[in-house]
Amino acid sequence: MAKPPRPDWSATTRAIRAGADAGRETVHTVGPPIQRASTVLLDKAADLYAPGKTSYGRPNALPTHTALIEAISELEGAAGTELYPCGLGSITGPMLALLKAGDEVVVVDCAYAPIRRFCDGFLKRYGVVTRYVPSRATVDEVMAAATPATRMIVLESPGSLTFEMQDVPAIAAAARARGILTLIDNTYGAGFLFKPLAHGVDVSCQALTKYVGGHSDVLMGSAAVATRELFDRLRACSRDLGSTVSPDDAYVMLRGLRTLPTRIKAHGEGGLKVADWLAQQPEVARVIHPGRADHPDHALFKRDFTGPNGLFSLVLKPVSEPGVLAFLDALELFGLGFSWGGFESLAIHCDPQVRRTAKPWSAEGPLIRLHVGLEDPDDLITDLRRGLDALAPHAA
Ligand SMILES: Cc1ncc(COP(=O)(O)O)c(C=O)c1O
């Protein structure tokens, strides 16, 4: 505990130490107190090395961290949750924690591209082999790719560009029967629309950056795990790597989480309305939205998810690349930017980044991904009509 200033201290010391103890008594605010810390002061010398004491700012154990961790564990039905500096880290962190040289991983083809880069570069250098399976692989196809060295299966369902789904409960059960861990990128489900741990998955990761943050102004990731043993392994790896998140960011994330259920429902309703309209437009070859009956995995989606969020893609009828750029540039309400899950609508063309190695991606025309924000869907439809009109001079 900091000592109050003493009258015999010099002006310098008093200036440096005055007020150190003021404000220790916290009042009961709606959110947790934001405590910023590298140093944590212990009450007595015996506490300095005592196990179980929070003694430094690094291990995500300050009040805002703890509050966010509890909330996400509740949301995901987890035995524990680790926080990571971003969504990418929420997948690479657990992979580093749970894999070792000589292991193999099976990864679905539609996994977030930087995860593929991590597997093909970083993990490979450390002696971990990755095998890719098609994005819509059946349980038998996934398990056929697993060898005696396979320790983990990495899923993403629906994929975030092309929205293929896997039968997650069936794969998780088959993997568990062979002693293989399953990890899923649950950013689409946001811990709310889909509960992977209740379906037998071991590690449910999400980019909180998207729907939990909800305002496109903060990065963070979480890995919610099925057992305390897994949590301890994730924590130990974060400790060794020095992976930590800011307590201020944890506060902002928790604030976003409080309105997640209301926002994501509105995104989902708006997204479906816009998708249904797009599916009727003559310039559109097809819409790829798992919440629509014409999606090839709609039955899985209906079985496992409580509803859609605001993210989906569309395939345009054949048009030149300048046409695709003209479409995007004509949009006024849809911002041109990566990411999703914020209150605002976004659009990107995807062909430059869709990468598949197990089964090539092919479509009738260019692939566009939309994130439908919280604006009035009718205004978004007007905006998209303006974009589609700009295609006319470029049609193939
Ligand atoms: C499906 C998916 N997973 C993970 C991430 C990574 O999140 P972050 O940008 O917070 O690292 C993204 C980001 O776009 C994503 O779309």
Side-chain angles (χ1 to χ4, degrees):
M1 183 71 73
K3 308 278 187 303
R6 288 167 38 153
D8 56 326
W9 287 351
S10 75
T12 300
T13 303
R14 288 161 68 83
I16 286 171
R17 301 299 285 267
D21 262 348
R24 293 267 148 214
E25 292 300 315
T26 51
V27 293
H28 191 173
T29 49
V30 174
I34 303 175
Q35 286 198 290
R36 297 182 177 151
S38 51
T39 296
V40 171
L41 296 171
L42 284 310
D43 286 344
K44 47 188 194 311
D47 290 342
L48 281 168
Y49 295 100
K53 285 261 173 206
T54 299
S55 58
Y56 198 49
R58 209 165 46 207
N60 294 339
L62 296 169
T64 53
H65 298 128
T66 308
L68 179 61
I69 283 169
E70 259 185 38
I72 293 174
S73 293
E74 176 65 33
L75 200 67
E76 299 251 22
T81 297
E82 179 59 309
L83 300 174
Y84 294 90
C86 64
L88 177 58
S90 78
I91 302 169
T92 58
M95 291 182 87
L96 287 173
L98 303 173
L99 296 169
K100 60 177 187 331
D103 288 349
E104 294 189 6
V105 281
V106 172
V107 178
V108 287
D109 227 7
C110 60
Y112 180 55
I115 293 301
R116 300 179 63 108
R117 190 177 56 208
F118 173 76
C119 291
D120 298 343
F122 199 106
L123 284 187
K124 188 174 170 205
R125 267 194 290 131
Y126 284 84
V128 175
V129 169
T130 303
R131 295 175 196 277
Y132 292 97
V133 290
S135 310
R136 199 170 269 131
T138 62
V139 56
D140 291 343
E141 285 169 320
V142 173
M143 296 319 293
T147 72
T150 303
R151 291 283 164 274
M152 183 183 282
I153 294 171
V154 176
L155 306 172
E156 185 180 325
S157 180
S160 65
L161 294 175
T162 41
F163 300 90
E164 300 90 344
M165 295 190 66
Q166 301 101 49
D167 188 339
V168 174
I171 294 170
R176 191 162 285 183
R178 277 179 54 180
I180 300 170
L181 292 169
T182 46
L183 176 152
I184 191 166
D185 183 337
N186 189 33
T187 305
Y188 183 102
F192 187 71
L193 303 173
F194 179 52
K195 310 277 185 186
L197 301 182
H199 288 89
V201 172
D202 296 294
V203 188
S204 174
C205 307
Q206 52 160 322
L208 302 173
T209 310
K210 316 295 181 200
Y211 280 110
V212 173
H215 296 74
S216 309
D217 54 3
V218 61
L219 289 150
M220 200 179 290
S222 63
V225 289
T227 64
R228 280 313 281 186
E229 190 256 333
L230 282 171
F231 174 75
D232 290 343
R233 291 171 71 186
L234 264 50
R235 249 300 138 94
C237 185
S238 297
R239 178 199 64 205
D240 294 346
L241 292 175
S243 172
T244 184
V245 309
S246 137
D248 292 88
D249 288 353
Y251 185 94
V252 172
M253 218 30 109
L254 189 64
R255 185 163 63 179
L257 192 146
R258 299 305 183 207
T259 55
L260 170 73
T262 312
R263 284 186 288 105
I264 208 163
K265 188 164 176 282
H267 283 286
E269 287 167 5
L272 261 182
K273 182 166 183 185
V274 173
D276 288 345
W277 176 83
L278 276 166
Q280 306 296 320
Q281 303 313 300
E283 298 87 349
V284 174
R286 69 189 150 105
V287 163
I288 312 176
H289 188 307
R292 277 173 49 89
D294 61 356
H295 188 281
D297 303 318
H298 183 61
L300 281 182
F301 188 79
K302 259 187 35 193
R303 188 192 68 187
D304 294 344
F305 282 68
T306 56
N309 64 29
L311 196 70
F312 66 94
S313 288
L314 59 128
V315 177
L316 291 171
K317 288 192 179 152
V319 63
S320 64
E321 196 188 336
V324 175
L325 302 183
F327 165 76
L328 292 171
D329 285 338
L331 301 174
E332 290 177 9
L333 272 174
F334 282 85
L336 306 183
F338 296 98
S339 204
W340 40 285
F343 60 86
E344 80 292 7
S345 292
L346 293 171
I348 53 169
H349 59 308
C350 306
D351 292 289
Q353 61 160 313
V354 180
R355 222 184 124 235
R356 301 281 185 267
T357 47
K359 186 166 182 222
W361 162 257
S362 73
E364 308 85 313
L367 181 70
I368 307 281
R369 188 184 72 184
L370 299 180
H371 177 249
V372 167
L374 297 176
E375 303 92 341
D376 187 326
D378 289 334
D379 290 334
L380 296 175
I381 285 171
T382 306
D383 203 33
L384 288 166
R385 187 63 255 163
R386 192 180 5 254
L388 293 174
D389 287 344
L391 285 174
H394 304 277

